[in-house]
Every structure is written in C-alpha cells, then in structure tokens.
Amino acid sequence: MATDGEETAHYDGPAGGWGSLRGISRIFGDESDRPSVVETLARQNKPGGFMCVSCAWTKPADHHRLEFCENGAKATLWELTPRRCTPEFFAEHTIAELRNWTDHDLEHQGRLTHPMRLDSASGKYVPCEWDDAFAAIGAELRALDPKATVFYTSGRASLETAYLFALFARVYGHNNLPDCSNMCHETTSVALKKLIGAGVGTVVLEDFSKCDAIFFFGQNTGQNSPRFLHTLQECVKRGVKIVTFNPIREKGLERFVNPQNPAQMLTGSSTEISCQYHQVRAGGDIAGLLGMCKHVLAADDVAKAEGRRRVLDVDFIQHHTAGFEEFAKKIRNTAWQEIEAECGLSRSQLEAAAQVYAGADRVIGIYGMGLTQHVHGFDNIGLLLNLLLMKGNIGREGAGISPIRGHSNVQGQRTVGISEKPELVPLDRIAALFGFDPPRDKGVNTVEACEGIRAGRFKAFIGLGGNFVRAIPERDAMEQAWTKMRLTVQIATKLNRSHLVNGEIAYLLPCLGRSEEDLQAGGPQAVSIEDSLSCIHGSVGKHKAASEHLKSEAAIVAGLAKATVAPNPRLQWDEWTADYARIRDLIEQTYPGMFHEFNQRLFTPGGFYKGNSARERIWKTKSGKAEFTTPKQLSAMGVGDAPGRYRLITLRSNDQFNTTIYGYSDRMRGIEGTRDVLLMNPVDIRHAGLKEGQIASLISDAEDGIERQISGLTVTPFDLPEGCIAGYYPELNGLLPLWYHDQESMTPAGKAIPVRIRP
Ligand SMILES: Nc1nc2c(c(=O)[nH]1)N[C@H]1C(S)=C(S)[C@@H](COP(=O)(O)OP(=O)(O)OC[C@H]3O[C@@H](n4cnc5c(=O)[nH]c(N)nc54)[C@H](O)[C@@H]3O)O[C@H]1N2
Ligand SMILES: Nc1nc2c(c(=O)[nH]1)N[C@H]1C(S)=C(S)[C@@H](COP(=O)(O)OP(=O)(O)OC[C@H]3O[C@@H](n4cnc5c(=O)[nH]c(N)nc54)[C@H](O)[C@@H]3O)O[C@H]1N2
Ligand SMILES: [Mo]
C-alpha cells in the first residue's frame, strides 16, 4: 500500500456484481425497463444485432446471453432516453446561459430533435430546415479556402460515414482530419507503426486462451472495457498470471464478480484478477519496464554462464529485430537506484514482476491511456515492446501487444481514411476511383488544429460527433479563440459544451444513434465498426428514431458534401445514402486487402479479422525488422521533479463516458456525490499542510508564463504513490498546456501534468 494504512476513499466490493446493476438503476430508474430498451439491450454486441456505442472491446462469436456490461448499458440507455432537447428548450435558454450548465445537465436534456441554427440577434439556437442548413453551410465552405477548415471526427461514427467524411474533405481540398484518436491512442499508431510496422495491436481473442501471463499497464478494464473482464476471469481460472502496473488500485484489476454468473452473484465470491499489483508512479513506466528488462537480461547472463536454456529468445532477436545491442548497453549502464527513484517501485518488486515474465512462455502486453498520454508516451510503448521482443513475444500464438482502444469505432475510422497523414491513405486509388486529384500535403492533427484556431488560421470547423472544446487541452484560451471562426457545424445526438462555443455562423445538426433504425430510400441500413482486436462487425439499429426530423450521420455528411463540392458523376452522394452497401463496395475497392467481400462478410459472427503484418512477423519498418527502443530519459513526464510540483493524473469515473457525465458516483473508487475532488496520498496531504475536506486549487506548473488554475477541489485522501495526485477529466483540462504532449505523436499528456497546489 502506498498510504501507510491511513484511511483513504475506497470501495471494498469487487467490480461487476450487484453494484453494477444498482449503478444502472440509480441513474435510469424506470427508463431501463421499457420493452423497446430491453429488446435493444438483448441484441447488443451479438451477431446481427447492434454494436455497443461504449468501448471498443471485441464482440465474440460465442457471446454471453447478455453481451453487455454496466457501462455499455448506460451508454445505450443514455442514447435511448425518452427525454428530448427540443426547439422549445432552445427558445427558453440563451446560449450564454447554457454555458453555465454542467456537462451532465446539458446532455441530460435528452436527444436533440431538430436541425438548429444560431440566431446571433437573440443569442439562441432556432430551428431550421435541413436543406437550408446544407445550402448555407455549403455556400460558406465554398467561399473559404479549404485548407483553412478542419473536419473533426469522434470515434463513434461508422466505417461508412467515416469513409464519406474523409472523401468529402479530400474532394473539397484538405487533409485536416483530426480525430479523437489524436488525444488517445495516436501514440500507439505512431509507435507501433514505426517499431513493428503495423499501427494497431497484434493480439486476437484466441490468444487469450493460449497465453501464460498478461502484463497490464495503465488500462482500467473494470470501468472502460468491462466485458474484457470475462476474458481475464477465464484466463485466471486457467492459471494465467496477471501483473498490473497502475498508480491506482483499480477494482476491476483486483477482483471481479461476473454479473452473468448467478452462482458468483449469490455467493458474492469473486475472482482475484491480478497476482501482482504495482503502484508505479505516474510517468514511471519507462523506468519500471527498463528495470524488468534489466532483470531478464541478468537472468539470461546467468543461464548463459551456466550453460542452461537461455532466457532471451536469441534466435528471434538475431533474425527479427534491430537495436538490441544498444538497448542492452543502456540496461547495463542504468543503475537500480535511478530506476527505483523514477518509478517508485523497489528492485525486488520489479524483479518479482520480471520473474513472472521470464518464467512464462507466452505473454501478452496490454495498455491504455496510462502509457499513451505522456510526453514520452512513445518510449513507454517502446519499452513495453522491448520487454516483449526480448522473448519473442510478438508474432506468436498466445502472445503479443494489445492496446485497448477507446471509442467503439475509433480504430476503424483511421483504417478507412480519417487521417491527417496523406502517406497513410491510398490517395492514388482514391484519385482513380473518383476522378479527382486529392491533396497530398499533410493536414493537421488535434493539437495542430488547436494551434491553428488559436492563431486565427482556421475559419471553419465541422465536428462529426464528440465534444472537441471540452476534450482538448488549454480550455480557456481555446474557447476564446474558437469564437473567432467564421463557421462551426456540430453533428451530434445530445447537447454539449462544444455546441455552446460557436463561430459567427453555427449549426447544430442532430443525428440518429447507432441503436436506432436507419431508414433510407433503399430500405433499412446496416453500418459497420472495427473493434480493438481489428475485427469488423456489422451493426443494425432497430429502435425507433428519437425524432422524425433526425438524419443518419452518413446522410448528413453526404448532404453537406453535395452542397459544397462540384458535381461529379462518380460522386454519387444520393445513391450512397440510399444504400450503404454501395459505400462498403467503395471501401472494398479502396482497401481490397482488408475488406475483400466486405458486404458478404458483414455479419460474420465475431467479426472478420482485417489482418496484421506484425502478427505474421513481416516487419514493415525502416530496417525491415522489429525495432528496440533505447530511451534517452527514464521519466515519461515532460519536466523534471521539483519541490511542490505534483504529477496530476486526469481520470475517468465509473459514471462517465469521456465528456458525457451520467452521474456523480465513482462507485469502484468510493467517491460519491461530486467530481470536484483532488485525490492525494495522506502523507502528501500532511506534508502540504492540507486537511481532508479542505477546498484547494490546482495551478499548472508549466513555467510558460500562462496562469492556469482550477479552484473548488475537495482534498480527498486516496491510495496513490507519493507525489502523484489525481482528479477528473474533463473538469481539469484547463490545466493541460497545449504544448504538453507526446513528442512523437502529439497526443496530449493528460497523465502526468505538472501542477502545484494552492490552498
Ligand atoms: N465507461 C467508460 N468507458 C470508456 C471510456 C469512458 O470514459 N467511460 N472512455 C473510452 C475511451 S475514448 C478510452 S481512450 C478508453 C480509456 O480507457 P483507459 O485506457 O483505461 O484510460 P483512463 O481511464 O484514462 O486511464 C487508464 C489508467 O491509467 C492509469 N494511469 C495513469 N497514469 C499512469 C502511468 O503513468 N502509468 C501507468 N501504468 N498507469 C497510469 C490510471 O490510474 C487509470 O487506471 O476507455 C473507453 N471506454
Ligand atoms: N485531460 C484529459 N483529456 C482527455 C482525455 C483524458 O484522459 N484526460 N481523454 C482523451 C480521449 S482518450 C478522448 S477519446 C477524447 C474524447 O473526445 P470526444 O470523442 O470529442 O468526446 P466525447 O465525450 O466522447 O463526445 C461526446 C459527445 O458526442 C456526441 N455523440 C454521442 N453519440 C454520438 C453519435 O452516435 N453520433 C454523433 N454524431 N455524435 C454523438 C454527443 O453529443 C456527446 O455529447 O478526450 C480526450 N481528452
Ligand atoms: Mo479515447
């Protein structure tokens, strides 16, 4: 324990279990009992059903009776709420007034029902007709330089919509296609691409039934991908050892009661998930992983000297990797003291973890935002790969690296062309298919889009879902800069803060959710998504639409495109909208390797696998080999330690999906009724001269002359390593400087933000 046994906010129960069912009924009450909702939940994540809009965890072919979790149910119920955010609501409230509402209260108004236009005279949204909205937006876009516009995507839109949106951007004339992935697993896309030649995970579901050990870094399964706990529970039963590195003792990784298992529910018995749990300091994983590698290398030295079987996979290292010698030198030249000081774990703890690794034949490495959202996030991932490469754990059954993705289709959107990097998109094929010359210059990612908006370079923003203004760093400066834009258009299901910070001309366009029936001229439509394990699934919504005025995302994107770009007989926006199978044909023609027979395979149980070269040990890297990383620094944090400086971790609660706040209970961490908390180790509280329950402020300690402060936070004792503090995203995003991001991918570093405490 990092807290010397002092009293901290905590929860004694396991993840899952009755608490998860109560968590649902507390928020939704009777809403969850409506027959149409029960029917929708019963179809969730099953072949031929609809694919959950919550996390990206895979949808297995041999599904459970109910293949959804507490948070998946919350996401569906939130979408299917009977509440409506109507023109009457907007007539009653000015935008300025709504800006003072909380994230929860805004979305809690329910589903948007009508296309709305900002009326600057009254400062209110007023209803408009779809055709007028498209025509007005198209006229504005045509008057602008395409390169002065940004098209953002949040990770929910389907493959079909994402493909059309990217095509629209390129026909119009830019590659400015940032998406939420730029704030999330972009570190993965860049690091894995550079180091093993494939920018996504190498593991498939079957690997979990063959592995011997799993190493978890900074991924909160119980809350952010709860269905994965079933897989982990089965692994543990098989004797697989799970070792976790996380500054916080997250419940799901400690113990789990399967809500689908009546015996476990009745007896309250739970499965112990992690056999070792290491509370690494935020930003300390490079050091921790290097320490483990150091032990593995030392064990190999001994084995070699004694003529026993080598610990390293020497043959693999020799034939399949580059850079091992340099890394080995770095390991030997790094003292245990340095390693212990940075990661906050002892040599014996790291050796215990490394022994599990060395003793296991097949190992899977799992990670999430705890590795990606750091200034040296690239090196975090590089070091985890190093550990795996040392024993040939990439490209082998039962082994591999598995980043756990966030939004349900965030990975897929990148697969079908949402990318600011032209080299990742088959532009020649697109040129040939549609008969236009796509722009070849690099577009902007999320941070670059923010920089451009601040500098006044961008005049228009179209958001395909999401809550950009709330999710990005540097809130105050960004909101001010935002209003200087000429045009902002938001395509959304529910009202959020990004709809209240507007350009001169603004539209709010309401769309269908994925659980709803999508009726087009060609009949009811299916869409598709790609999950975290690279499997593609069809999804059919059957629930009646929240309003007769809604359009599908695909129809809205096509409507905008048609009103903006010059007619071209090969751009059949209406025909594509009428029948999404035709969009899938285009995806197949653009990406024949991954999507051959796309329409025929759409409803393959368990999805169809798009393939991964690294899994086949084909290394599409510069050296033609898998590459070891030699880190230049042991800390993943961008600045050094200093007296009074803390490492702030921004967290998600159990009642939240990103900026969507369902409620104010973080059940599994024992924090109830508020999100305005400053979680601190009791020793740190004492040293800082603070008291439990005291209200304090955080100020950013970025030494760039900008004053960033968040006040009104209640000091709450919590089991965290000393020097690390935590609070909730998005409330604390104002403390994150725009320039504080991963060095390679520009992913904002939300997991070790340098801050000071002001009582
Ligand atoms: N219910 C629910 N599900 C979600 C989401 C949601 O908000 N709610 N969001 C979705 C999205 S978009 C994403 S990207 C994923 C996010 O899912 P995760 O990848 O799990 O992301 P976080 O919850 O931000 O944080 C992950 C963990 O990293 C730990 N951590 C922080 N700093 C460090 C560090 O330096 N080292 C290590 N080893 N660990 C660290 C934190 O304690 C936390 O447990 O979940 C998706 N699923
Ligand atoms: N400090 C800090 N900042 C972070 C993070 C962090 O851990 N710490 N996490 C980052 C991560 S991982 C991510 S992914 C981003 C999230 O950034 P975004 O993806 O931009 O944000 P969300 O909160 O997921 O978006 C919620 C909104 O999406 C809209 N929406 C919901 N469903 C649909 C739909 O089906 N269609 C459409 N068109 N709209 C819909 C609703 O209006 C809702 O209000 O935030 C990032 N920011
Ligand atoms: Mo994410």
Side-chain angles (χ1 to χ4, degrees):
M1 285 272 279
T3 57
D4 294 338
E6 288 184 62
E7 196 54 31
T8 51
H10 73 286
Y11 161 75
D12 283 329
W18 295 113
S20 71
L21 300 183
R22 274 198 295 272
I24 297 172
S25 63
R26 186 178 32 73
I27 299 177
F28 297 98
D30 299 345
E31 285 186 25
S32 49
D33 289 343
R34 287 174 295 144
S36 63
V37 169
V38 173
E39 197 209 333
T40 301
L41 284 173
R43 299 177 60 243
Q44 188 152 322
N45 297 330
K46 292 185 187 161
F50 99 95
M51 298 301 136
C52 182
V53 291
S54 195
C55 81
W57 180 246
T58 197
K59 287 81 182 150
D62 56 341
H63 51 80
H64 295 84
R65 192 171 57 85
L66 297 177
E67 187 59 43
F68 63 85
C69 64
E70 169 184 3
N71 283 318
K74 279 185 197 163
T76 303
L77 290 166
W78 196 251
E79 185 164 288
L80 297 182
T81 174
R83 302 172 66 96
R84 296 290 177 269
C85 187
T86 59
E88 290 72 41
F89 170 84
F90 288 107
E92 281 168 26
H93 305 280
T94 63
I95 286 174
E97 180 205 332
L98 292 171
R99 250 180 249 139
N100 297 318
W101 288 31
T102 64
D103 297 310
H104 171 269
D105 291 348
L106 290 173
E107 284 210 28
H108 196 54
Q109 293 314 304
R111 292 287 299 278
L112 297 164
T113 59
H114 284 70
M116 308 294 289
R117 169 181 69 77
L118 172 68
D119 176 52
S120 49
S122 61
K124 292 179 177 176
Y125 272 119
V126 294
C128 61
E129 297 301 320
W130 279 106
D131 285 343
D132 296 339
F134 290 153
I137 296 165
E140 284 295 328
L141 289 176
R142 273 181 275 120
L144 288 171
D145 170 8
K147 301 227 167 17
T149 67
V150 173
F151 287 15
Y152 170 71
T153 319
S154 166
R156 272 195 195 182
S158 64
L159 293 172
E160 291 80 357
T161 306
Y163 182 89
L164 288 191
F165 198 49
L167 179 62
F168 170 26
R170 296 195 168 98
V171 178
Y172 173 50
H174 68 79
N175 284 308
N176 295 333
L177 288 161
D179 87 346
C180 70
S181 174
N182 291 141
M183 300 182 251
C184 182
H185 269 292
E186 188 62 19
T187 327
T188 296
S189 312
V190 171
L192 295 188
K193 179 103 186 115
K194 186 163 175 195
L195 300 172
I196 56 173
V200 298
T202 67
V203 168
V204 299
L205 191 58
E206 292 73 54
D207 290 323
F208 288 94
S209 52
K210 294 180 182 136
C211 67
D212 304 312
I214 302 177
F215 283 75
F216 254 90
F217 289 84
Q219 202 272 332
N220 187 5
T221 313
Q223 187 177 286
N224 296 330
S225 44
R227 289 181 302 108
F228 184 17
L229 286 179
H230 297 286
T231 310
L232 294 181
Q233 197 182 30
E234 282 154 25
C235 285
V236 172
K237 282 190 191 143
R238 236 175 13 85
V240 174
K241 294 211 162 96
I242 299 182
V243 177
T244 297
F245 287 79
N246 194 313
I248 294 177
R249 298 192 69 90
E250 304 287 20
K251 273 294 164 272
L253 292 167
E254 295 194 301
R255 281 183 295 141
F256 173 56
V257 166
N258 186 344
Q260 315 250 346
N261 178 331
Q264 276 207 341
M265 287 287 276
L266 287 174
T267 59
S269 71
S270 57
T271 308
E272 210 62 64
I273 299 286
S274 299
C275 67
Q276 289 182 25
Y277 205 112
H278 300 293
Q279 286 180 273
V280 63
R281 281 215 296 167
D285 300 274
I286 297 174
L289 280 156
L290 195 99
M292 286 174 66
C293 293
K294 191 172 172 73
H295 178 79
V296 173
L297 193 64
D300 185 68
D301 288 343
V302 174
K304 194 174 162 190
E306 294 175 355
R308 283 189 285 113
R309 185 171 164 233
R310 298 285 293 270
V311 178
L312 297 180
D313 186 337
V314 181
D315 189 61
F316 175 81
I317 292 174
Q318 196 187 343
H319 291 104
H320 286 281
T321 72
F324 176 69
E325 285 313 320
E326 194 191 345
F327 176 58
K329 205 162 119 201
K330 172 82 185 175
I331 295 178
R332 294 188 201 280
N333 289 341
T334 309
W336 277 108
Q337 270 165 323
E338 279 176 77
I339 292 172
E340 289 178 321
E342 175 49 40
C343 72
L345 301 169
S346 68
R347 175 175 175 173
S348 61
Q349 284 173 305
L350 294 173
E351 285 181 341
Q355 269 159 20
V356 172
Y357 178 77
D361 182 30
R362 302 164 197 229
V363 178
I364 292 176
I366 304 276
Y367 67 92
M369 300 298 99
L371 289 197
T372 63
Q373 292 179 337
H374 281 290
V375 170
H376 298 293
F378 180 99
D379 288 348
N380 274 335
I381 297 170
L383 266 284
L384 176 55
L385 256 182
N386 285 0
L387 180 71
L388 294 168
L389 292 174
M390 284 174 94
K391 277 174 53 71
N393 274 310
I394 301 282
R396 197 149 61 81
E397 276 200 327
I401 190 157
S402 190
I404 305 300
R405 306 292 299 227
H407 266 294
S408 50
N409 191 35
V410 61
Q411 185 169 311
Q413 296 175 343
R414 307 296 266 181
T415 304
V416 297
I418 299 287
S419 178
E420 74 282 4
K421 296 172 183 160
E423 70 275 17
L424 298 183
V425 184
L427 294 179
D428 290 337
R429 215 171 276 146
I430 290 174
L433 264 174
F434 301 105
F436 74 102
D437 192 16
R440 307 272 166 168
D441 51 334
K442 195 191 158 295
V444 291
N445 59 30
T446 291
V447 165
E448 291 163 340
C450 291
E451 288 167 350
I453 290 167
R454 268 180 88 175
R457 240 180 337 110
F458 290 118
K459 309 290 182 209
F461 178 97
I462 300 185
L464 177 55
N467 189 357
F468 190 82
V469 167
R470 198 70 176 137
I472 55 176
E474 205 85 76
R475 163 127 10 99
D476 294 345
M478 281 312 301
E479 288 199 355
Q480 278 170 31
W482 203 261
T483 54
K484 307 258 166 19
M485 278 191 285
R486 167 75 180 167
L487 172 74
T488 53
V489 179
Q490 302 282 357
I491 302 165
T493 51
K494 287 199 171 182
L495 183 62
N496 67 42
R497 179 144 187 111
S498 296
H499 310 150
L500 305 171
V501 186
N502 292 313
E504 208 178 320
I505 295 174
Y507 284 86
L508 177 51
L509 305 178
C511 64
L512 292 171
R514 198 186 292 152
S515 54
E516 290 171 318
E517 188 171 38
D518 185 350
L519 283 174
Q520 300 295 344
Q525 300 299 314
V527 294
S528 55
I529 58 119
E530 174 182 335
D531 67 32
S532 237
L533 301 184
S534 305
C535 290
I536 319 281
H537 308 261
S539 174
V540 183
K542 291 229 167 122
H543 202 272
K544 189 170 177 296
S547 150
E548 57 182 334
H549 306 289
L550 300 185
K551 282 190 185 289
S552 74
E553 290 180 317
I556 296 172
V557 169
L560 291 171
K562 201 177 150 190
T564 307
V565 303
N568 163 346
R570 292 200 230 169
L571 297 174
Q572 303 183 340
W573 305 108
D574 290 333
E575 289 80 352
W576 297 335
T577 307
D579 180 5
Y580 299 173
R582 298 199 44 195
I583 310 176
R584 287 187 287 276
D585 286 338
L586 298 173
I587 295 176
E588 175 172 344
Q589 286 161 37
T590 313
Y591 306 92
M594 293 183 271
F595 288 98
H596 59 92
E597 296 169 271
F598 190 2
N599 277 306
Q600 294 86 314
R601 294 194 292 160
L602 185 61
F603 292 107
T604 308
F608 67 84
Y609 185 52
K610 77 170 186 190
N612 182 314
S613 49
R615 192 177 162 75
E616 315 294 325
R617 293 194 168 174
I618 297 163
W619 315 106
K620 297 183 177 172
T621 61
K622 256 194 193 144
S623 62
K625 305 239 163 122
E627 296 188 13
F628 278 90
T629 302
T630 300
K632 292 199 176 62
Q633 70 298 308
L634 284 190
S635 170
M637 198 189 182
V639 296
D641 288 314
R645 176 178 288 166
Y646 293 86
R647 300 178 174 204
L648 171 68
I649 304 171
T650 53
L651 287 176
R652 297 165 155 77
S653 87
N654 189 55
D655 260 3
Q656 154 177 15
F657 190 92
N658 297 340
T659 70
T660 295
I661 311 300
Y662 304 122
Y664 294 88
S665 164
D666 198 357
R667 183 168 57 79
M668 290 190 275
R669 299 199 188 101
I671 298 160
E672 299 291 337
T674 176
R675 295 174 52 84
D676 297 321
V677 289
L678 168 53
L679 307 180
M680 277 181 93
N681 181 300
V683 175
D684 281 340
I685 295 182
R686 240 184 299 120
H687 285 172
L690 297 166
K691 286 205 168 59
E692 173 174 0
Q694 184 176 340
I695 305 298
S697 304
L698 286 178
I699 48 171
S700 89
D701 191 16
E703 291 172 353
D704 60 357
I706 299 178
E707 165 91 4
R708 302 180 187 86
Q709 174 167 337
I710 307 273
S711 305
L713 303 170
T714 304
V715 174
T716 308
F718 200 74
D719 184 4
L720 274 159
E722 282 174 41
C724 300
I725 58 177
Y728 293 115
Y729 140 70
E731 285 81 351
L732 299 182
N733 277 32
L735 294 167
L736 181 53
L738 190 54
W739 50 263
Y740 194 73
H741 53 67
D742 175 49
Q743 294 300 285
E744 303 276 332
S745 66
M746 297 182 85
T747 305
K751 292 296 185 268
I753 309 173
V755 293
R756 289 175 183 276
I757 300 171
R758 198 175 268 170

